[in-house]
Amino acid sequence: DKGGIIVREGADLASEVCADRLSTGSFLEQLGTHGDRLQYRLLNGAGPQQGWVSVRINGKELLVRSDANEIEQASPLSTAPSQPRKIRIL
């Protein structure tokens, strides 16, 4: 197990895989969705700055919504206004 979540360049599962994975505990901003795929921008944590990830695999949730306060506490350098669609990697 390599750990983290596989990130792809596009929404399609056949699109190119990014060299790095998203680390556990990262915070994301949701930019869009396509089925069980989520397009994101990295707010805090390690991994590609943007890309597409699976929301769940084999019925297991990989991402969970977080409230703005939790994200702001984890990312004191963030100056972006709070948005309702923030995601945390499980």
Side-chain angles (χ1 to χ4, degrees):
D1 183 39
K2 295 182 181 182
I5 295 177
I6 294 172
V7 179
R8 294 187 179 271
E9 297 286 331
D12 193 288
L13 289 172
S15 66
E16 190 169 336
V17 175
C18 295
D20 296 323
R21 292 179 178 219
L22 274 176
S23 67
T24 301
S26 295
F27 286 93
L28 313 174
E29 177 180 8
Q30 177 181 324
L31 302 177
T33 59
H34 186 280
D36 276 349
R37 305 281 294 153
L38 179 129
Q39 183 181 24
Y40 76 90
R41 179 175 66 90
L42 184 65
L43 298 175
N44 183 281
Q49 291 297 306
Q50 60 184 10
W52 288 83
V53 293
S54 293
V55 174
R56 67 186 61 79
I57 294 179
N58 297 326
K60 179 182 177 185
E61 297 291 326
L62 301 178
L63 310 173
V64 63
R65 292 199 185 275
S66 295
D67 66 32
N69 291 332
E70 184 179 6
I71 293 167
E72 288 168 4
Q73 290 172 1
S75 182
L77 300 177
S78 176
T79 58
S82 299
Q83 300 291 327
R85 291 190 236 169
K86 303 297 188 208
I87 310 296
R88 183 173 185 187
I89 303 296
L90 294 177

